[in-house]
Amino acid sequence: MNPSLHPLDDALALTAAGTDVFTGRTTEPYWNMVGPFGGVTAATLLQAVIQHPARLGEPLSLTVNYAGAVGEGPFELRATPVRTSRSTQHWWLQLVQPDKDGKARVMTTATAITAVRRQTWSATDLPMPEAPAPETCAQVEQAIPVQWVNRYAMRPVAGMPPRQWDGAERDSLTRLWVRDTPGRALDFVALAALSDVFYPRIWRRRALHVPAGTVSMTVYFHAGSALLAETGSGWLLAQARGQEYRNGFFDQTAQLWNQAGQMLATTQQIVYYKE
């Protein structure tokens, strides 16, 4: 770990290693149960797009498919711009690691779209819900004893993990204030990681501590770099809920606003759960 860098910037450090190729490595501060926090993996893939010399515009969407658990240590990222138009650019990404026999294995795939935004009519159909100020909310009790949760300040508003894992069914809504810790100015990679801070919806919905893991996550970036810079290191209000739980998989939809009530990102996941 580089002590001169914010933990997120250290985790996202990439080195160009050829045309469309970057190298990086996992870091302990963002470790989850069996691999890195999914949000930091998503942010790392997006970082490769942002660092790519051929990039057009700013991130518009990112879809990450978690094919296998990323192992501890070095990895290779392949970021290829596959189609570029006047306003949009489409990317194909892969995170590759050697297996125990030294054979390169694809652990994560992703697609991304960057775009040149132009000022037009804008509106929202989902305004930020009312919430008490973050300063009046207590820090959340962490649901799982893993490293990455210590990288975020989380102050609950509603829908925290059950206090008793008794199988009692309830609504799946969670709402909380969140930001990086230590503080860090918001940018696209940090927003991508923050989009994955929610504990599994099935834990809230069903109050059973079943194993669960994200299979695929999509983030839609509604903010441009100017709005992210304006947001700075302030709190974000993050809200998530499930919609359907069936035969080992459930989905999650979520939104993130800044304190001024401006929508920054929306996100969707499909998540595996084990009976």
Side-chain angles (χ1 to χ4, degrees):
M1 180 176 177
N2 186 338
S4 67
L5 292 176
H6 188 281
L8 182 61
D9 296 304
D10 185 48
L12 303 184
L14 298 176
T15 301
T19 303
D20 300 341
V21 178
F22 299 85
T23 57
R25 84 285 188 240
T26 61
T27 62
E28 183 181 355
Y30 284 92
W31 202 251
N32 203 348
M33 288 177 284
V34 294
F37 165 48
V40 84
T41 298
T44 305
L45 289 157
L46 187 62
Q47 180 80 320
V49 173
I50 289 173
Q51 286 189 208
H52 200 291
R55 173 173 59 89
L56 171 76
E58 297 181 339
L60 183 67
S61 71
L62 173 70
T63 297
V64 181
N65 303 307
Y66 299 93
V70 177
E72 184 177 0
F75 54 76
E76 180 180 278
L77 281 183
R78 302 168 185 174
T80 305
V82 296
R83 180 76 181 251
T84 302
S85 69
R86 185 175 69 92
S87 299
T88 62
Q89 189 173 49
H90 296 251
W91 293 81
W92 168 243
L93 302 110
Q94 293 181 311
L95 189 154
V96 179
Q97 275 189 321
D99 61 17
K100 62 181 181 180
D101 297 320
K103 182 180 179 181
R105 296 287 301 274
V106 174
M107 310 308 295
T108 311
T109 66
T111 58
I113 301 174
T114 57
V116 176
R117 295 178 180 266
R118 296 174 175 84
Q119 290 293 326
T120 64
W121 174 87
S122 303
T124 182
D125 281 344
L126 189 61
M128 185 175 78
E130 292 186 7
E135 294 78 15
T136 67
C137 301
Q139 176 70 16
V140 66
E141 294 180 9
Q142 302 299 352
I144 47 177
V146 291
Q147 283 288 327
W148 74 264
V149 296
N150 299 314
R151 306 284 74 79
Y152 296 99
M154 300 188 222
R155 299 193 174 183
V157 174
M160 286 302 96
R163 292 186 179 275
Q164 294 183 334
W165 300 96
D166 56 6
E169 295 192 9
R170 53 176 56 82
D171 70 87
S172 65
L173 176 68
T174 285
R175 191 175 293 148
L176 75 159
W177 292 105
V178 62
R179 64 182 179 187
D180 287 281
T181 185
R184 182 186 182 279
L186 189 65
D187 57 14
F188 288 107
V189 289
L191 185 56
L194 282 158
S195 296
D196 193 35
V197 298
F198 306 98
Y199 66 88
R201 295 298 83 210
I202 195 167
W203 292 2
R204 169 72 189 172
R205 179 66 174 79
R206 198 177 174 204
L208 288 180
H209 208 178
V210 298
T214 302
V215 178
S216 181
M217 176 176 75
T218 295
V219 181
Y220 298 111
F221 300 96
H222 302 293
S225 56
L227 180 52
L228 297 183
E230 181 182 325
T231 301
S233 59
W235 293 94
L236 306 187
L237 186 67
Q239 173 178 280
R241 71 176 77 232
Q243 298 177 117
E244 186 72 17
Y245 309 79
R246 185 171 300 178
N247 298 338
F249 295 90
F250 69 88
D251 69 343
Q252 172 188 285
T253 181
Q255 304 84 32
L256 296 97
W257 297 266
N258 65 12
Q259 285 183 266
Q262 296 163 304
M263 178 81 79
L264 303 181
T266 53
T267 178
Q268 301 276 342
Q269 291 192 18
I270 191 75
V271 183
Y272 162 79
Y273 64 93
K274 183 179 181 180
E275 287 291 325

